[in-house]
Amino acid sequence: MNTIRRYISLGSVACIGLCMILVTGCKKLVSIPDREERLVPTNGFANDGQAMDAVNGILARCMQTNASFMNGAFSIFPGMSADELQPTANNDVLVQFADNRLTSDNTRISIMYNTAYNLVAQINIVLENLNSGKVTRATRDRLMGECIFFRAFINLQLTCLFGDVPLVTITNVDVIAAMSRTGIDSIYRQVIDDLRTADSLLPASYIVMQKDLVARTHPDKWVAHALLSRIYLYEGHWVEAERMATDVLESSELGLASSPDSVFLNDSREILWQLIPFDDGVVGEADYFLPKSTGAMPAYIIRPTLMNAFEPGDRRKAAWTGLSGGMPYPRKYKALMTDKKRECNVVMRLAEQILIRAEARAEEGDLPGAIADVDVLRSRAGLPALQAGLSSQAVLEAVWNERRIELMCEWGHRWMDLKRTGRAASTLGSLKPAWRLTDALYPLPAGELKKDTNLVQNTGY
Amino acid sequence: MDQTSLLYFPPTAPPMRDSARNLVYSINGVPVNNPLAFDQYRYDALTRTLVCNVQVLYNVGRWELQINSGYSSIDTRESTTIPATAQNPLFAPADLRYLARTNLKGGEGSIKLSWRWGGERMNFSATGGLDWYIQHDRIEAPGDTVGTAQLESLSGSTVADYRDLGSFFSGGASFDQRFFMNVTGRWDKSSRMARDDGGFYSGGAGLSYVFFRPKATDPDKTHVLTMGRLHVSCGITGSDAVQNYAHYTGWSTFSGALPAQLAGAFYPTSPSNVSLTWERIVKSSVGLTLGFINDQLNMDLVYYRQRASDLPVPYTLPATTGFSTGYRTWPAVIMNTGYELSIQKQAKAWNFFQWMSRLSLSFPRNKLQSYPNIENSYYATTRIVGEPREAVRLYHYIGVDPQTGLFAFEDYDGDGKITEKDRQFIGKPMVKMFSAWTNAFHTGKWRLEMTLEGVVQTGIDYQRDIYNVSPPGSLGPGLFNNETVKVLDHWRKPGDKARYQQFTSLPTTEAAQRIPLFTSSSGILENASFLRLRTLTLSYEIPTAFFHKLNLKMGGQFYIQGQNLLTLTPYADVDPALQSGMVCPLVKSYGVGVKLNFNSI
C-alpha cells in the first residue's frame, strides 16, 4: 500500500511539474528572441528612431536607382510618349516610347512597374510595423501621415501610366499575388481618402532639420493639400481644386523663386517636396539629360515643336534648356558631378499649384482670376501679361500652354495633361504616325500576366 | 577550390609562367585569368567544438524518470588570403583577405516518464514527456573584401534562432511474444510557424504478428524457415522544414552610400509568408520479415506509401507584392510509394572462412497526384499532374537531319514549325532503382570488405548540355575556350550522319535557333545508370601475441582501403552521379592505415 502511494505521489508530482513547464515555458520557449542583428523586432518597430529610419528607407529607395520610378523616370519616358523628347540612341526600348508603339516586354515598363510596387509594399509594411510597434503617439501620427501620403502619390502616378492597376493597401503577399486590377475611379477614391488622412495627420510645417541639412524632404500638410488639388483638377472638381491650391499658396512657408534659374536649387522656397539623391548627389534627370562632355550629343533632345512653343523673350528657354552638339536638351537640373548637393529631385513645387488654380478658375468662369495667376508665372519668365478680355477658351488654352512650358520635361505632366484634356489624339496623332488611341495607357509587363493570372492586359497590347 | 571548370581552358594556352617563374596575366596585351593563381591562395580555418550531455535516471519499481540535457557549440573562424601576385596586375591589386566567423550553438533536452508492467504472457509499457530544441546560429562575414589594413573588421552578421517544443506519449503491448502493438502521439510547436499557430499533432500505430516460430523444444534441429513476421504501420508526421523567420518580414540596410541625412535607413527585403504551415505526411507501410536456416539468412520486404501535402515551396511572386520570391504552402499532393528489399546473410561460423553479405534494393516512385487549379498557377507549364515531380515537358528529339544538318524534332501538331505546342514529350530525369551490396570475407586474421552501389536512372547528358554553356562554333575570334572532342562528330555536308548539328557562329541562323530547342528536348536525356565499387578494404589483424611481447595491453590492425575504384556506366560524361561538367567527379582514393585499440583486451 505504501509503495503504491509513493508511486502515485511521485507520479502526480511529476505530472504537476510537467504541466507547469508546459503552461509557463511553452510560449516563451518557442517565441524566438528579438535580436539587434535582425533590425526590426517581429512585433513592430522598437522605438521612434527605428521608425524614422524605416520611413527614411522609403525616401532612400525612391532615389536608389536613377530613372526607375521616382528619380527621373516620369520626366524621361512619358516625356517621350508625349511631344517633348526624343532619344538620340537607336535603342528600341526608348524609341518605342517616342513612337508610341510600346510592347509589353519593354524592360523600362517592367522596371517602372516593379519599382512602384516595391515602394508600395515597403510603405504598407512600414505602416503595419508603425501600428504594432512601440512608437510614441506624435511620431507615429506624423510618420503614418507621411507613409499614407507616399502611397497616394505612387498610386496616382501608377494610374497615370497604366490606367487600372491592382490597388495594394495590405501586406499579405498571397492575397496580393491573386489581385485583379482595380478600376481607376476606386483608385482615385482611395488616393483622395489617403490624402485626407495624411492631411489630418501631418504637421502644418516641415519638421525642423539641422541647419546644414536639406529641408522639405519629408512631406507636410501642404504637400498633401497640393496633391489633393492636383487630383481634384484631374477629376474636374474645380471648386475643391481651387480651394486646396489657395490654401497651399497662402502658406507662409512657401513662395515662388525669384528667377527660373533658382527654382530647382534645394533651398528654394518654391519646393513643396524634394528627394535627396544617392551617392554623388546627381538627380536622375541630370544624369539622363545632361551631356556627359562638352559638345557631346545629348541622349534625349527636345522636340522642335516644344522649342518653338517658347515665346520670344521667355527667360525659361535659356534657363531650362541647353544646346550641345547643336541639339537642345532639358537642363532644369544643372549639376553633374560639380556643384553637387545643391540640387535634389523636386517632386512637387508651387508653380504647379498656381497653374492648377488658374485652370480651375478658368473652368469656373473666373477669367480675371485665372489670368492673374498665369501672369504671376509669365512675369517671372520675363513675359508680358496676358491681354484682358480673352474668351474663356482662350484663357484655358493660355493656362495649358503655360503648363506646357513651366512644367516641361518634369514628372510627365505634359503626358497626363494631353490625356486628361482630350488633346492627346489631335496633338500626337499628327506628330507620330504609329499613334493609336490605346497608346494612352502603357501595357502591363508581359511577365506579370503569367505570374498573376487575374491580371488582364490593356487593350491594344 | 573546385578547378573542374578549367576543363574549358584552351588546350593551346601559352605557358602560365614567364622566364622568371612569375604568373602570366596577359598574352600579347590580352588579359587572361591564370588558373595557377589559385595555387597561391591561402585558406586557414580554426574550429572549436564543445559537446556535453547529461543524463539522469531515476528508477522506482515500474517507474522510470529520465532527464536528458545536451549542449553543443561549434565555433569556426576562416580566412582566405589572396595575395596581390595571384591577381591580375592590370587592376592594381592589393592583398585581399576574406574573413568569416560562424558560431552554431544548440541545446536540447527531454524529460521522460515511463512505466512498464510485465507478466507471463502479457507486457505493457507507457511513456510520456516533453522535449525541446534550441538553436542559435550566428554567421558573420565581411560584406566586401577587406584590405590587410582592416583585417579584423567584420560586417554583416546573420542570426538565426530556431526553437521547437514537443510533448509525446507512447504505449506498447505484447502478448505471447507473438503480437506486438504500439501507439504514439506527439504535439510540436515550432518557432518557424506563425505565432498563433496551434502546433502540429502527429501520431501513429503499428502492429506486428509473428506467424511462424519453431518450437523451442529441439534447439539442435536445423529449420529451413526459422522466423516469419508480418508488420503494418500507419501514421501522420509533420515537418517544419522552412527557413527561420519565414513568417516575418526580413529587413536590410542599404549597401550603397546613403545621403548623410538618411543614414541608418533600412528597407524590407523579404515578405512575411503568412500562409506557411506544417507539411503533413501520411505514412503507411506493410512489411514481411523472414528468417531462414537458423536465422543465418534474413529477408525484409517493405512496401510503403507516403502522401505529402501542404508542402512549403518557394514561389515566384508577381511584382505587385513588392518581392520576387516568397514561401507558400503548395496546394498539391505528392504521393511517394516504393518497395524496399533487403537480404542479409549472417556470418556462418565455419572456422576458417566466414562470409557476410547484405543486399538492399529500393524502388522509389513519386507522383504529383493532384494540384487544384494548376493551369492557372505559375507551375502551369512546368509541372504535370499524374507524373513524377521530376517530369518535364520537352521537345521530342529525333536526331540530326542528314540533309539539312540541323537538329530535328517531332512536329506533334503538324504545322511544319517547332513551337511551344510541340513540347509534348514527357522526360523523366530521375532514379528508378537504388541498390547497395556489401560483402565481407573473413579468414584467419584477414578480412576483405567491399561495397557496390548500383543505380538505375535517367540523367542529363552534360556533354550535350554543353550547348547551354557555349554552343560549339559560336565563340568569336580572339576568345579562349575549349570544347569536348565529341563535338567533332558534327554534320558537315548533306548525307552526313552525325551526332551534332552543323556549327554556327551567328545567333540568327536556323542552326542557332535550334539550339534552345535542343537543350529543352529529349536529346539531352541519357541513361545515367551505373554500378560502382564504392569501397574495398583489406585488413589484417595484428596478432595479440605481438603486443604481449611488448608487454602492451592492446590490439590493432593494418588496412588498405580504396574508394570509387571502378565505375561501369553507359553514361558518356564526367560522372553519372553528379551529371555536371563543372563539378569535380567523385575522386578515386586510396588509403593505407593502422588502427590501434588501447585497452581492448
Side-chain angles (χ1 to χ4, degrees), chain B residues 173-194:
Chain B
S174 69
F175 306 97
D176 253 2
Q177 298 295 310
R178 270 181 182 275
F179 277 106
F180 297 87
M181 52 190 285
N182 69 73
V183 187
T184 60
R186 259 194 87 81
W187 170 81
D188 279 283
K189 188 157 166 60
S190 159
S191 66
R192 290 187 181 139
M193 297 299 148

Side-chain angles (χ1 to χ4, degrees), chain B residues 18-230:
Chain B
D18 62 15
S19 51
R21 306 278 306 144
N22 291 320
L23 297 179
V24 171
Y25 286 102
S26 117
I27 296 163
N28 297 332
V30 180
V32 290
N33 287 325
N34 194 317
L36 298 182
F38 293 115
D39 204 29
Q40 300 188 8
Y41 286 22
R42 191 192 143 110
Y43 171 77
D44 295 287
L46 176 70
T47 303
R48 271 175 292 200
T49 310
L50 172 71
V51 180
C52 55
N53 282 296
V54 181
Q55 192 178 67
V56 183
L57 259 171
Y58 295 103
N59 227 319
V60 185
R62 299 197 169 94
W63 294 87
E64 183 180 281
L65 180 68
Q66 190 178 337
I67 301 170
N68 289 311
S69 161
Y71 172 82
S72 73
S73 159
I74 303 171
D75 199 47
T76 312
R77 285 163 188 246
E78 295 164 278
S79 92
T80 308
T81 312
I82 305 174
T85 52
Q87 302 170 58
N88 194 331
L90 189 67
F91 308 109
D95 290 352
L96 292 175
R97 194 154 161 191
Y98 299 86
L99 298 176
R101 187 181 300 167
T102 313
N103 182 237
L104 315 175
K105 277 188 284 198
E108 58 186 323
S110 64
I111 302 177
K112 206 162 89 175
L113 186 67
S114 334
W115 168 87
R116 62 181 69 245
W117 181 85
E120 275 288 292
R121 305 190 57 190
M122 287 185 281
N123 281 287
F124 298 96
S125 67
T127 303
L130 282 173
D131 54 14
W132 60 90
Y133 183 81
I134 296 173
Q135 179 81 34
H136 173 61
D137 295 345
R138 190 189 167 90
I139 297 162
E140 290 171 282
D144 295 305
T145 59
V146 288
T148 37
Q150 329 144 25
L151 269 184
E152 287 309 311
S153 77
L154 282 165
S155 61
S157 64
T158 335
V159 169
D161 278 294
Y162 170 59
R163 296 180 175 205
D164 179 81
L165 174 74
S167 68
F168 58 90
F169 78 88
S170 68
S174 69
F175 306 97
D176 253 2
Q177 298 295 310
R178 270 181 182 275
F179 277 106
F180 297 87
M181 52 190 285
N182 69 73
V183 187
T184 60
R186 259 194 87 81
W187 170 81
D188 279 283
K189 188 157 166 60
S190 159
S191 66
R192 290 187 181 139
M193 297 299 148
R195 203 175 272 127
D196 56 358
D197 174 77
F200 191 86
Y201 293 91
S202 54
L207 188 68
S208 104
Y209 172 54
V210 178
F211 61 82
F212 182 81
R213 182 184 289 128
K215 297 207 170 62
T217 46
D218 44 355
D220 296 335
K221 196 182 160 198
T222 302
H223 293 269
V224 177
L225 186 63
T226 45
M227 206 270 277
R229 189 160 63 98
L230 261 175

